[in-house]
Amino acid sequence: MKKVYSFNEGNKSMINLLGGKGGNLAEMTKIGLPIPEGIIISTQACKDYYKDGEKISKVLEDEILVKLDELQKQTGKNFGGKNPLLVSVRSGAPISMPGMMDTILNLGLNDKTAQYMIEVFKDSDFVYQSYYRFIQMFSEIVMGIDKEIFFDLKKEMLEKDNYTHQQLIKAGKEKYREITGHDFPEEPKEQLFMAINAIFKSWNNERAKIYRNIHKIDDNLGTAVVVQQMVFGNLNEKSGTGVAFTRDPSSGENHIFGEYLLKAQGEDIVAGIRTPEPIEKLKEQLPDVYIEFSKLAKKLEQHNKDMQDIEFTIENGKLYLLQTRNGKRSPYAAVKIAVDMVEEGLLTKEEAIMKVDASTLPQLLHGNFKQEAIEKAVLLGKGLPGSAGVAIGRVMFSAERADIRAMTILVREETSPEDIKGISLAQGIVTVKGGVTSHGAVVARGMGKCCVTGCAAIKINDIKREMYIGGYTVKEGDFISISGYTGEIYLGKVELSAPQFDKNLKKFVKWCQDIKRLKVRMNADTPADAKLGKSFGAEGIGLCRTEHMFFQKDKIWTIRQMILSNEPKEVKAALEKMHQMQKEDFKNIFTVVEEGTVIVRLLDPPLHEFLPKEAKDKQKMAEILGVSLEEIERRIVNLKDENPMLGHRGCRLAVTRPELYNMQARAIIEAAIECIKNGCTKLLPEIMLPLIIGAKELQFIKRNIEGEIKRVLQENNINIEYKIGTMMETPRACLLADEIARDVDFFSFGTNDLTQTTMGLSRDDSVKFMTEYYENGILKVEPFATIDERGVGKLVKLATELGRRTKPELEIGICGEHGGDPQSIDFFESVKLDYVSCSPFRVLVAIVAAAQAKLKAYKGIDYKWI
Ligand code: PEP
Ligand code: MG
């Protein structure tokens, strides 16, 4: 099989073999753009290199030499001889991959070819500068020598009285020998093979491996190598180099955006030593080149049907294109460009939908820090991105104090349901412990609040009310800025950019709604959440966590009374009060949703989570119940689980205390009756049971609540439609899904608990040891953020098949955190669930991801960032 290609032997569809750079250069050659000639050594050659024990085989070497010969003929130049051919050597994986070695320019120079170059160009300054740059780049990139050493050496040499270019070159080579113990390679072919070898090797350097791990890129893809004839942007004043986008990558505006430098080579643009000029200035400096560049840029954009990021070089007034790729853009620009391109007739709606990275969309709703401001800010530390968004506020270490001053960021070791009020008042939340599905993150996402979890670098001193992080002491009341996109925590206030939910986004989301198959519902526990999710397009509520309702206002004291009292009369009175409160809560939510499904999940957490923790609250409880503090403490200890996540929680509560779920079922149906009577005639209340482990358990609970519902309907002399369903959160429930399906109207996979129970990993503690799992390649993805398709996903698929076998009309969805994750949504589409449910701020993500999942699954439309 052929392993080395000329540019005119390939095209864009061969990117897996030729790499992104190589495939695009071949494509540009094919459509007649001015590209310096070159050759591509394929990714297959890289794979062989590893198979052969990290060696370039003789066969490959010969093939490269044959192609090199052709290149000399095409260009009329000689590699290592008179009229010298110099080349750039660059890596180019199928997916753009920072972390690998990048570019060597001017390869082929030695003392002899330098002289020949001077004969051709009649400019020794230019030639020696190019030569020294080559020595520096080769030393850095092939041998790993810090480039600063060569900058310093040059500075030192220039200060000498009798400085000559030749001396600088000699000193550079001596430095090379001093550090590597070898002579600098003089022979161009040896230089070339050393460079190719280094590129192949860099595929497996640590940085590249980590990058692949984070971005879920296959380790077996390999990289290609592009060897291209040099053109010289540093030749004279009519030469230069630049980078430009065909549209503004930040605003999406349809005009060329970029910069350039005259009399400069490749890396000068990014090196920051000279300040580049904005591309508009080229219009004045080299007007013909500007006009030609604009024309070619448009042509490339039309051809590739996407915004392009183009590198170019001008040699003595002639324009060359060196690279093009689909340009990275801000989420705002991504939506605008997609919508504009459909309106310009360049893309179909389906194609446009694939071009927006769904996971970045929350940034449009929350805003973000300005990039310039981040660069100047002091980074204190980094946790996990718990909930998207950014927040600026004063540090506060207690949820209770969070409401004393406005604009607080609650910093806690970990949050508990008791903190909910503090969380609702805070701008953002930081926790020292806990992963992305920990309580703090779930609640924050539900409220659309920014949250950083698991920032282990923080040490809180509660007594002094200060924390220590990144070498700084931050006192309660000091300002910090946090990013829920990156998990970063900055000192002070970092300047914000504005949120951008505009007409383009609305139009784009509408296209996605029209195309998707999966329904997108929201996880909402309050009327405010429900209103928000509805405004983003949620089709009803897929999960209303009723426990959250008890942490609002003073309701908590009623449930505490119900749990802690030993007096049947008191318990009954507390239950009745809870019933009234719940009915009110449900009425408020139903009224906002107005029509369609509202799935209310009955109480789930272990009872002790509701109980007082602080001494003064325990004292208050003792007074309410008229018992001693010691007695209260004893009762609290009795209710504590050794292993709360697998303890007395979920529907286990209803087996030991059926009156709890009965009360909730009554409240739901009574509230629905009132709302329906008030005009919400299309409302469909659905009752959901958590943590079911089998059919018998389900039947026991269902019998109780159905009896209660019947009583309510009789008392009101009315019949309304309602449904009863179950969460699927335990492996046993999934394995017995065919039996369970007989007694329910719907399944909803609680993938937070299902991941925890299937993998045997605590959703709150796994953050402590998971990093090593990713770093060592044991796990590719964070299983609480992206569904573990092979394990947990297998149970989802099996339970779906078993459930539908028993009851084809069974509605099946998912309401764990994975419901808002694009990659997981692809999986849920593939197993044909009916809906996903996620927090209000993820609804847009889910709508777009659901449309993309459908296009991928049914129309084969996909998109690759190159
Ligand atoms: C789940 O376990 O996936 C779920 C939605 O329930 P919770 O997060 O409330 O346990
Ligand atoms: Mg659960």
Side-chain angles (χ1 to χ4, degrees):
M1 186 187 164
K2 183 178 167 73
K3 310 270 167 52
V4 189
Y5 295 76
S6 298
F7 285 178
N8 57 16
E9 290 176 319
N11 60 56
K12 207 170 62 169
S13 72
M14 294 162 72
I15 275 173
N16 275 345
L17 190 66
L18 304 182
K21 215 168 272 159
N24 272 311
L25 280 164
E27 185 77 14
M28 288 198 282
T29 305
K30 197 178 85 183
I31 61 171
L33 297 178
I35 312 296
E37 317 269 3
I39 62 176
I40 307 155
I41 302 154
S42 73
T43 53
Q44 185 56 47
C46 177
K47 290 177 202 168
D48 294 350
Y49 169 86
Y50 281 102
K51 233 190 279 151
D52 296 343
E54 303 196 14
K55 269 205 310 282
I56 295 175
S57 69
K58 180 81 182 62
V59 180
L60 179 63
E61 194 178 309
D62 289 345
E63 204 180 329
I64 293 170
L65 290 174
V66 169
K67 281 285 167 201
L68 190 65
D69 227 33
E70 279 178 28
L71 185 63
Q72 295 184 81
K73 288 198 186 98
Q74 280 167 343
T75 57
K77 294 182 175 176
N78 301 306
F79 197 52
K82 278 196 164 208
N83 189 18
L85 170 67
L86 303 192
V87 293
S88 66
V89 183
R90 316 172 85 179
S91 64
I95 294 171
S96 153
M97 242 188 57
M100 277 177 49
M101 69 156 271
D102 192 23
T103 303
I104 301 173
L105 300 178
N106 309 332
L107 188 140
L109 273 170
N110 57 24
D111 292 346
K112 197 170 71 186
T113 52
Q115 287 313 312
Y116 295 145
M117 285 285 285
I118 292 169
E119 280 170 27
V120 176
F121 289 100
K122 316 270 182 288
D123 184 343
S124 62
D125 272 8
F126 152 68
V127 172
Y128 282 115
Q129 268 169 27
S130 305
Y131 193 4
Y132 190 71
R133 180 187 291 259
F134 166 56
I135 294 171
Q136 179 175 0
M137 281 182 133
F138 187 93
S139 304
E140 182 198 354
I141 288 172
V142 178
M143 305 308 288
I145 305 170
D146 187 350
K147 62 172 175 270
E148 293 301 325
I149 293 176
F150 285 87
F151 282 129
D152 292 347
L153 178 68
K154 187 171 176 181
K155 220 159 92 201
E156 196 184 302
M157 294 293 291
L158 284 173
E159 279 162 11
K160 291 195 171 157
D161 291 342
N162 53 355
Y163 166 84
T164 64
H165 289 320
Q166 284 91 333
Q167 276 171 344
L168 177 63
I169 299 293
K170 197 159 160 253
K173 288 183 180 173
E174 268 162 19
K175 191 53 95 188
Y176 178 96
R177 186 171 38 238
E178 186 187 313
I179 297 173
T180 64
H182 299 282
D183 286 340
F184 190 84
E186 285 291 315
E187 170 54 45
K189 282 181 187 149
E190 189 188 348
Q191 296 170 356
L192 180 64
F193 283 108
M194 281 176 80
I196 295 169
N197 186 69
I199 289 183
F200 285 160
K201 228 184 178 63
S202 74
W203 173 254
N204 263 346
N205 72 26
E206 275 315 299
R207 275 175 310 161
K209 279 203 267 192
I210 291 169
Y211 185 86
R212 285 201 293 275
N213 223 327
I214 294 170
H215 294 271
K216 300 161 199 155
I217 298 171
D218 185 352
D219 282 329
N220 299 315
L221 288 179
T223 180
V225 182
V226 174
V227 180
Q228 188 172 22
Q229 180 201 350
M230 282 298 306
V231 283
F232 299 99
N234 55 341
L235 182 60
N236 54 28
E237 295 301 331
K238 279 169 68 190
S239 304
T241 182
V243 179
F245 293 84
T246 53
R247 300 187 189 217
D248 187 322
S250 141
S251 70
E253 289 300 328
N254 188 1
H255 60 75
I256 289 180
F257 177 94
E259 50 193 22
Y260 71 103
L261 268 175
L262 288 187
K263 206 163 191 302
Q265 247 189 336
E267 307 307 295
D268 294 337
I269 284 272
V270 280
I273 299 160
R274 285 167 60 196
T275 311
E277 302 283 357
I279 193 93
E280 292 74 38
K281 192 137 186 246
L282 192 64
K283 228 188 273 186
E284 296 157 29
Q285 290 195 310
L286 296 169
D288 293 347
V289 174
Y290 181 82
I291 291 167
E292 201 196 350
F293 179 75
S294 308
K295 217 170 68 199
L296 297 183
K298 248 302 99 78
K299 184 171 175 175
L300 264 177
E301 184 180 279
Q302 299 272 335
H303 185 77
N304 287 335
K305 292 178 142 202
D306 206 336
M307 186 262 259
Q308 298 295 290
D309 167 358
I310 304 167
E311 283 179 23
F312 62 94
T313 285
I314 309 156
E315 184 184 279
N316 199 22
K318 177 158 172 37
L319 174 70
Y320 294 91
L321 303 187
L322 298 185
Q323 184 181 328
T324 194
R325 58 185 162 193
N326 297 337
K328 295 255 187 286
R329 62 209 79 176
S330 72
Y332 180 81
V335 173
K336 178 167 168 52
I337 291 171
V339 170
D340 284 353
M341 285 187 168
V342 171
E343 284 169 3
E344 290 159 22
L346 189 59
L347 296 178
T348 62
K349 284 180 191 166
E350 282 89 348
E351 287 168 331
I353 285 171
M354 298 311 294
K355 303 218 170 185
V356 172
D357 179 353
S359 65
T360 63
L361 289 174
Q363 291 184 37
L364 299 183
L365 308 177
H366 297 283
N368 204 342
F369 294 131
K370 285 190 171 157
Q371 192 53 39
E372 314 88 83
I374 287 181
E375 279 157 22
K376 285 186 215 133
V378 175
L379 178 66
L380 292 173
K382 200 168 174 200
L384 299 170
S387 173
V390 291
I392 302 168
R394 291 190 176 92
V395 171
M396 204 54 69
F397 298 108
S398 148
E400 287 199 339
R401 290 195 297 275
D403 62 341
I404 298 171
R405 297 196 239 178
M407 283 199 71
T408 53
I409 289 184
L410 186 61
V411 180
R412 303 279 285 154
E413 201 68 31
E414 59 199 326
T415 64
S416 80
E418 241 182 323
D419 295 335
I420 198 134
K421 190 165 159 215
I423 293 174
S424 73
L425 290 166
Q427 303 292 312
I429 297 102
V430 175
T431 67
V432 179
K433 294 184 190 152
V436 290
T437 58
S438 64
H439 175 263
V442 170
V443 172
R445 267 197 295 274
M447 295 183 186
K449 281 194 199 268
C450 159
C451 171
V452 172
T453 55
C455 184
I458 296 176
K459 299 276 167 290
I460 298 176
N461 185 331
D462 268 325
I463 297 163
K464 289 190 171 169
R465 292 195 184 173
E466 58 191 32
M467 67 175 180
Y468 316 107
I469 172 172
Y472 287 79
T473 300
V474 182
K475 292 191 174 350
E476 193 162 271
D478 287 352
F479 271 99
I480 57 169
S481 303
I482 62 172
S483 167
Y485 304 120
T486 60
E488 281 161 348
I489 302 172
Y490 296 96
L491 189 63
K493 298 181 190 176
V494 178
E495 204 184 337
L496 289 168
S497 59
Q500 296 160 310
F501 191 28
D502 68 347
K503 68 176 193 326
N504 285 322
L505 182 57
K506 285 193 183 127
K507 201 180 274 185
F508 185 78
V509 170
K510 175 77 176 60
W511 295 344
C512 294
Q513 281 169 323
D514 292 345
I515 276 174
K516 72 180 178 52
R517 184 194 64 81
L518 280 164
K519 284 198 205 79
V520 175
R521 292 179 175 152
M522 60 180 140
N523 295 357
D525 323 319
T526 63
D529 279 355
K531 203 163 163 187
L532 192 69
K534 194 174 164 186
S535 76
F536 293 145
E539 300 155 270
I541 293 183
L543 172 64
C544 172
R545 292 175 163 106
T546 48
E547 57 273 17
H548 289 176
M549 296 171 160
F550 290 107
F551 290 102
Q552 294 155 3
K553 302 194 192 120
D554 281 339
K555 293 176 185 172
I556 191 74
W557 294 101
T558 310
I559 192 166
R560 283 176 179 169
Q561 214 170 336
M562 190 280 295
I563 298 168
L564 286 172
S565 172
N566 284 350
E567 295 295 325
K569 252 209 259 44
E570 258 174 16
V571 173
K572 206 160 168 231
L575 260 176
E576 180 45 32
K577 219 167 146 194
M578 284 169 69
H579 161 235
Q580 291 306 331
M581 291 184 320
Q582 288 264 270
K583 188 172 157 187
E584 216 37 48
D585 286 332
F586 297 136
K587 260 176 22 190
N588 291 338
I589 287 196
F590 291 161
T591 309
V592 172
V593 178
E594 252 180 303
E595 59 180 70
T597 298
V598 178
I599 300 181
V600 182
R601 200 250 325 258
L602 303 187
L603 274 179
D604 181 55
L607 290 183
H608 75 84
E609 279 200 12
F610 295 99
L611 300 181
K613 291 186 183 60
E614 303 210 1
K616 70 173 188 354
D617 290 341
K618 290 180 188 167
Q619 184 58 45
K620 182 172 170 182
M621 200 64 237
E623 282 159 22
I624 290 173
L625 293 181
V627 296
S628 66
L629 180 61
E630 294 71 39
E631 175 59 17
I632 287 293
E633 280 175 340
R634 200 185 53 78
R635 290 183 195 179
I636 291 175
V637 169
N638 280 348
L639 280 159
K640 208 162 167 55
D641 286 328
E642 286 304 327
N643 194 345
M645 274 297 176
L646 302 176
H648 194 190
R649 65 168 285 217
C651 64
R652 256 58 83 206
L653 296 170
V655 175
T656 56
R657 302 191 69 167
E659 66 275 16
L660 266 179
Y661 279 15
N662 287 357
M663 174 277 291
Q664 288 196 294
R666 171 173 279 272
I668 293 166
I669 299 300
E670 285 178 348
I673 291 173
E674 284 190 27
C675 289
I676 290 168
K677 281 186 180 164
N678 286 340
C680 300
T681 50
K682 291 188 184 149
L683 184 77
L684 180 56
E686 305 192 13
I687 295 172
M688 180 157 74
L689 309 173
L691 280 167
I692 286 286
I693 52 174
K696 285 247 161 63
E697 181 192 43
L698 181 102
Q699 287 155 6
F700 175 82
I701 297 164
K702 196 180 162 202
R703 239 188 340 266
N704 286 332
I705 58 174
E706 272 193 326
E708 192 68 25
I709 292 170
K710 251 191 214 123
R711 281 191 285 281
V712 176
L713 296 178
Q714 269 164 8
E715 286 161 19
N716 287 274
N717 196 19
I718 195 172
N719 225 344
I720 65 162
E721 197 187 338
Y722 67 90
K723 288 185 179 177
I724 295 180
T726 177
M727 296 195 72
M728 299 296 272
E729 307 185 90
T730 63
R732 190 171 194 273
C734 293
L735 295 168
L736 301 176
D738 46 351
E739 292 175 15
I740 292 175
R742 283 190 213 117
D743 295 300
V744 291
D745 301 311
F746 65 92
F747 283 173
S748 177
F749 290 100
T751 46
N752 302 335
D753 274 312
L754 188 59
T755 301
Q756 171 170 261
T757 51
T758 303
M759 299 185 83
L761 296 174
S762 154
R763 57 199 265 191
D764 290 328
D765 298 313
S766 60
V767 64
K768 292 178 201 150
F769 46 79
M770 280 311 222
T771 313
E772 285 78 0
Y773 275 71
Y774 310 133
E775 280 175 7
N776 292 305
I778 301 169
L779 284 178
K780 273 264 180 217
V781 294
E782 145 69 302
F784 290 101
T786 297
I787 192 90
D788 160 48
E789 285 184 30
R790 298 189 57 237
V792 180
K794 201 170 187 175
L795 280 175
V796 170
K797 191 162 184 270
L798 174 74
T800 303
E801 283 164 9
L802 289 176
R804 289 206 173 122
R805 207 177 290 163
T806 301
K807 197 177 266 179
E809 72 281 14
L810 188 74
E811 192 182 31
I812 306 184
I814 173 259
C815 64
E817 292 307 298
H818 306 87
D821 170 62
Q823 199 179 323
S824 309
I825 290 171
D826 273 350
F827 173 73
F828 300 135
E829 172 66 61
S830 76
V831 292
K832 303 236 177 351
L833 299 193
D834 296 306
Y835 70 88
V836 297
S837 188
C838 57
S839 63
F841 278 97
R842 301 295 294 179
V843 164
L844 281 188
V845 174
I847 290 173
V848 174
Q852 292 175 337
K854 179 171 161 195
L855 290 171
K856 279 185 237 171
Y858 297 94
K859 297 213 170 173
I861 299 179
D862 204 350
Y863 180 74
K864 227 190 240 163
W865 293 95
I866 295 157

